[in-house]
Amino acid sequence: MIKALVFDAYGTLFDVHSIKAACESVFPEKGEKISTAWREKQVKYFFQRQLMGRYRPFDEVTRDALRYACRTEGVELEQEDEERLMMAYLNLELFEEVSDVLEKCSDKQRVVFSNGSEDMIVPLVESSDIHDHIDKVISADEIKQYKPTPAAYAYALDQLGLKRDEILFMSSNTWDIMGAASFGFQTAWINRNRVEPETLDVQPDQAYTDLYGILEKL
């Protein structure tokens, strides 16, 4: 029996590309490209740091990725604009169905488990419309191990005090959902972009195009 619903934050609950409006306001006609490059480099940087054993908190990784994205687009990032865009990351938009789904799952423990450092993920959740529907926020920064390392999922499991098969983990990121599935969580891939499944030897238990799909499972 599923006792806890554990959600990744970035790309699963919150639209990371909603940041493009803020990017566009600072860099007209370049907002979408900077937003895309920012996210891509953010993911690459925390993967690289994990592999190199040179961990830095997610806010620092995010800031470095922003600087890289601006450099690749040939724009100068002033300190004031850098702070403005970093603050905008604390106010990402929720995907349309998120609030409704979380409200309908009130009989389960509802948890956000993110690579985001506490100073990023906690304000994001608390300032959103779902703050009353989230029972716990867990940051991988608490043990300095990014998902998809087994240590990160083990830490979340320990924090919840449950068995692996009592947890349904959801993410839109394939690297995250594969990591959780490999660790032994029940998994639901939220394939928002309708991309092809990975060809690795570990796969999610279910796949849906949005979070409404999990209501069928529950």
Side-chain angles (χ1 to χ4, degrees):
M1 179 180 178
I2 295 170
K3 296 182 179 179
L5 304 175
V6 179
F7 302 87
D8 171 55
Y10 299 115
T12 306
L13 300 178
F14 296 92
D15 183 1
V16 292
H17 295 299
S18 62
I19 198 72
K20 69 182 178 182
C23 293
E24 184 69 22
S25 69
V26 176
F27 303 112
E29 299 183 4
K30 291 183 176 287
E32 185 170 358
K33 287 185 177 180
I34 289 175
S35 167
T36 300
W38 189 2
R39 174 58 176 172
E40 289 177 353
K41 187 56 66 171
Q42 179 193 56
V43 173
K44 287 180 181 179
Y45 275 171
F46 74 67
F47 265 95
Q48 288 171 330
R49 284 195 169 278
Q50 184 68 52
L51 289 170
M52 293 186 297
R54 299 178 66 89
Y55 182 91
R56 299 302 299 169
F58 198 73
D59 60 325
E60 294 185 29
V61 171
T62 301
R63 190 179 295 272
D64 287 342
L66 171 60
R67 292 170 178 171
Y68 178 89
C70 290
R71 185 181 302 173
T72 59
E73 289 303 316
V75 297
E76 185 173 350
L77 181 64
E78 301 289 347
Q79 182 65 33
E80 181 180 354
D81 291 330
E82 180 177 306
E83 296 305 323
R84 177 181 173 187
L85 292 175
M86 287 296 295
M87 286 297 296
Y89 226 95
L90 307 183
N91 293 280
L92 298 173
E93 295 176 7
L94 289 163
F95 286 103
E96 185 177 4
E97 84 284 5
V98 171
S99 294
D100 187 35
V101 171
L102 287 174
E103 187 173 0
K104 290 177 177 176
C105 296
S106 59
D107 60 327
K108 310 290 185 185
Q109 187 177 7
R110 297 159 296 181
V111 179
V112 172
F113 175 36
S114 174
N115 278 339
S117 45
E118 186 175 344
D119 59 353
M120 289 188 70
I121 192 62
V122 171
L124 177 61
V125 172
E126 289 186 346
S127 65
S128 73
D129 291 339
I130 63 170
H131 68 277
D132 288 335
H133 302 317
I134 296 297
D135 303 302
K136 189 176 184 64
V137 175
I138 301 173
S139 169
D141 185 56
E142 294 163 17
I143 60 162
K144 309 294 186 285
Q145 289 285 319
Y146 282 125
K147 297 182 291 177
T149 60
Y153 302 106
Y155 178 71
L157 181 65
D158 181 66
Q159 291 296 296
L160 295 174
L162 298 173
K163 298 177 181 178
R164 299 184 194 202
D165 60 2
E166 294 176 327
I167 293 171
L168 176 62
F169 180 82
M170 288 144 287
S171 180
S172 65
N173 300 297
T174 54
W175 50 265
D176 195 8
I177 206 69
M178 299 302 167
S182 179
F183 182 73
F185 287 156
Q186 294 193 59
T187 52
W189 176 31
I190 310 305
N191 185 9
R192 294 191 180 279
N193 296 321
R194 295 173 169 79
V195 299
E196 286 297 313
E198 301 288 357
T199 56
L200 299 178
D201 60 350
V202 58
Q203 295 292 322
D205 297 306
Q206 305 291 335
Y208 308 106
T209 56
D210 59 38
L211 285 172
Y212 279 125
I214 69 168
L215 298 179
E216 302 172 3
K217 182 177 180 64
L218 298 176

